[in-house]
Amino acid sequence: MLRRHRRAARLTLEQLAEASGVSARTLSDMERGRSKGPQHRTVTALADALRLAGAEREQFVELAREGRLRDHWNRPTGLCELPRSVDDFTGRAAELAWAGEVMRAEEAGVGLITGSAGLGKSTLAVRAAHALRPDFPGGVFFLDLFGMSPDPLPADEALGRLLRALGVADQQIPADVAGRASLYRSLLRERRVLVVLDNAASEEQVRPLLPGGGAGRALVTSRRLLAGLEGVRRLGLVPLAPMEATRLLTGILKDRGASDEEQALWQLAQLCGGLPLALRIAGNRLASRPGWNAADLAARLTDEERRLDQLSAGDLKIATAFGLSYDQLADSTRRIFRRLALVPGRDFDAALSSVAGGTTIAGAWDALDELVDLGLLQDGASGRYRFHDLVLLFARDRLRAEEPAAERDTLTVTVTSWLLRTAATAGRWFEPGHGRSDRPDPDLTELRSPEEADHWLRVNMDNWLAALRQAAGMGRFTAVLDVAGSMDRFSDRWMHAPHWHEVFTLGAEAAAALDDADRQAAQLNQLAWVHLLPRDDPETALGYAAQALELATRCDATGEIAQAHHQTGGALRRLGRLDEAIASELRAAEMAKADGDVNRYCDCLGALGTCLRDAGRHAEALEQYLTVLALVNDDRSEVTPSVAAFTRPIALARIGECLGSLGRRAEGITKLTEAIALMEQVHLAVPQARSLETLAALLAEEGRGEESRQAYARAAEVYEAIGDAEASSRCHDLADPAL
């Protein structure tokens, strides 16, 4: 306005300066906006020199008064000052970039950083705010909302502090929350201000403190998810990756020289679980004790019983940080939290949580939601949850402190028993003569189909396997044998899993302890299978099969005698002793047929076909595979449906292989394609990968190069998924046209 009036009066800066007595430098600062609130006598002198009167003069004087008021509010107050940023801040580059993007965005920006205790939310927010200072000339302010204390900062008091920091005098601050929030939003609308709201307790507390639009920005941190806040950009912090965690330790210890080996720091970072607070504590302990080294502290932290106690330095205690969150929980949720420490595996769902917590499924869901909201649990895919390693130790500590030993022992038995009974029930879905029970146990998770049983066994493998170990250690041999004995057919579906050797070893030991020779022979036969397929050790497989045959013969267990001959045939085939292998498989097939065991008969015929195939007798092999396929496709053959679902795709694949070897490649490709689709449905990864590789070779022979490369690429993916790096690399190379 000054410039407009000066130009209307046809005056230069120098001429106006001479007429008003105000220096040309001051006039220039005013016109360029650097001086927005000149003193009243200066404004009056200018109005006189410009000959302003009436409404124009009043408006001119009023603008200067408003500028002086804004200038008063802009003056530093020393309130809500941003804490210093730590010099050795390390990592979080992506998170800092996110904060910069959100705070610099054109639209009104509110960033919300959430995560569990110890993840460094406040440190990150402060670091980001310091980096963003140049973008906020109106000021950068920090306010701790004390969200984890018994008495979080009330919204009206928080608004009062922020308004004072923004330069509002006490007498100008409204008495009510609504009035304060309105004034606060109006100030942030006009001023380029960044407000860091740290440690928010709830949506109700923080909502009045957010800008309503305009130039102001807010960066909020909270242990809670604050899911009710609308229109905010969210960032969930996770632990630091091992490399970043190690770099943080190195930065903290930079003044110690090169005394700490990199491997020891790496181990220390892993024991701290990537939590910045734990790393800070460990680093500070080492920095304050020059005589210590990282290896010594890592050795101390290896003891899980004392790890939380060791993660303490002055007033920094990792257990205290977790305790603040624990204290926020309802009593019922605290009970479930600490009892979840009894879950033997790495993760769990609501059903297992309800068993451990002694509550309903609905009660478990509510508790799990609250624990995730406070960062005491991590939620993952398919409704599964897990502890951070250090939080698990805290939960165990609370369990020991707050639950009597006898009650803990009872709960352990309850959880273990539930897992073993559910595992045995799931495994029996695939066993001949079993399946869905007519009278299901009401205490167990209901498994209504083979697919549900298969899924439960896979996702809960850590839990039921750990429960199996616990039961074996407690001498509960019947329970152990029930589980191991139920896994015969299911193990075929998941043959690349690494745990079958342990399962069937525990089963064999339990059967021996119970003096049950028949079932011990069955477990030894399973161990022979483990060394045939997953371990590819046919010599050891022969030994187990011989032990099984001896035991089965002693107790006249015809089925296990036949199975021992079947496993012997498989081992002999792998050793290249094909005539002996064919003889063993023929004997096994005859015994199974005589015993009326059509499922085992199919197994033996299929294995016989494979022996004939390896001997180059492809037409005879094809005949055996066709017989197997006819049996599994015949509803009158009494092949168990789950066995048929497993055997059918394998028989089709073998038929495809034989057809290809006999020069009938087009027919072979059709059969293999059909087999691979079925294998995908029933999760037969190992035979699927091998069949894809065979299909790719046949396609290449037929001149269908692109389809061949696609099949090799898919085979490489499946091999990689089951951990066969060599086969994956081989197929990947064949899929690459440049190689």
Side-chain angles (χ1 to χ4, degrees), residues 144-168:
D144 188 346
L145 299 177
F146 298 99
M148 289 295 105
S149 76
D151 299 303
L153 189 67
D156 62 339
E157 188 174 339
L159 284 165
R161 294 186 186 186
L162 289 169
L163 288 170
R164 292 185 189 93
L166 289 165
V168 180

Side-chain angles (χ1 to χ4, degrees), residues 207-389:
R207 192 175 280 117
L209 311 180
L210 302 181
R217 298 289 184 266
L219 191 58
V220 185
T221 76
S222 178
R223 293 193 190 182
R224 294 189 179 275
L225 297 177
L226 303 184
L229 287 183
E230 58 283 327
V232 301
R233 298 273 298 275
R234 298 175 180 274
L235 174 68
L237 282 192
V238 297
L240 292 172
M243 190 68 72
E244 282 193 335
T246 305
R247 282 203 299 267
L248 175 56
L249 280 173
T250 303
I252 297 171
L253 300 173
K254 61 182 181 296
D255 294 333
R256 284 169 54 102
S259 60
D260 294 299
E261 295 183 4
E262 185 176 341
Q263 183 59 38
L265 291 176
W266 180 274
Q267 182 186 9
L268 199 55
Q270 290 183 311
L271 289 167
C272 290
L275 281 189
L277 177 59
L279 293 162
R280 172 71 54 189
I281 291 170
N284 285 359
R285 292 197 73 183
L286 288 173
S288 62
R289 292 170 172 81
W292 286 21
N293 60 50
D296 293 335
L297 182 56
R300 294 187 181 205
L301 295 182
T302 302
D303 182 359
E304 290 189 347
E305 298 295 321
R306 301 189 63 235
R307 190 176 302 168
L308 292 182
D309 292 336
Q310 291 294 320
L311 288 173
S312 170
D315 62 348
L316 295 177
K317 294 179 173 61
I318 194 71
T320 300
F322 297 150
L324 290 173
S325 295
Y326 182 72
D327 291 342
Q328 299 286 313
L329 302 172
D331 289 342
S332 58
T333 307
R334 289 185 196 176
R335 183 176 64 252
I336 291 175
F337 168 77
R338 59 182 180 259
R339 290 183 174 187
L340 283 172
L342 293 171
V343 172
R346 290 178 296 186
D347 61 6
F348 42 86
D349 59 10
L352 183 51
S353 301
S354 71
V355 175
T359 186
T360 62
I361 294 286
W365 278 120
D366 290 342
L368 291 168
D369 283 346
E370 187 176 358
L371 291 169
V372 169
D373 186 53
L374 266 170
L376 288 170
L377 281 183
Q378 303 165 9
D379 58 344
S382 304
R384 301 195 67 79
Y385 302 81
R386 66 188 307 162
F387 284 108
H388 183 279
D389 290 346

Side-chain angles (χ1 to χ4, degrees), residues 4 18 38 69 103 127 130 146 197 288 299 324 335 338 355 395 464 487 532 579 590 629 632-633 660:
R4 179 164 60 83
E18 185 178 352
L69 183 58
M103 295 299 101
R127 183 74 170 190
H130 277 284
F146 298 99
L197 301 168
S288 62
L324 290 173
R335 183 176 64 252
R338 59 182 180 259
V355 175
W464 64 259
M487 296 294 162
L532 269 179
D579 290 341
E590 290 167 358
L629 186 61
V632 299
N633 286 337

Side-chain angles (χ1 to χ4, degrees), residues 142-224:
F142 178 92
L143 184 62
D144 188 346
L145 299 177
F146 298 99
M148 289 295 105
S149 76
D151 299 303
L153 189 67
D156 62 339
E157 188 174 339
L159 284 165
R161 294 186 186 186
L162 289 169
L163 288 170
R164 292 185 189 93
L166 289 165
V168 180
D170 284 349
Q171 60 270 25
Q172 295 175 316
I173 296 176
D176 61 311
V177 172
R180 292 183 177 191
S182 178
L183 176 57
Y184 171 74
R185 286 193 298 271
S186 70
L187 295 176
L188 264 60
R189 180 176 295 279
E190 301 299 330
R191 296 178 59 182
R192 187 70 176 163
V193 166
L194 171 60
V195 180
V196 178
L197 301 168
D198 189 45
N199 195 15
S202 65
E203 294 90 340
E204 292 79 8
Q205 180 197 39
V206 80
R207 192 175 280 117
L209 311 180
L210 302 181
R217 298 289 184 266
L219 191 58
V220 185
T221 76
S222 178
R223 293 193 190 182
R224 294 189 179 275

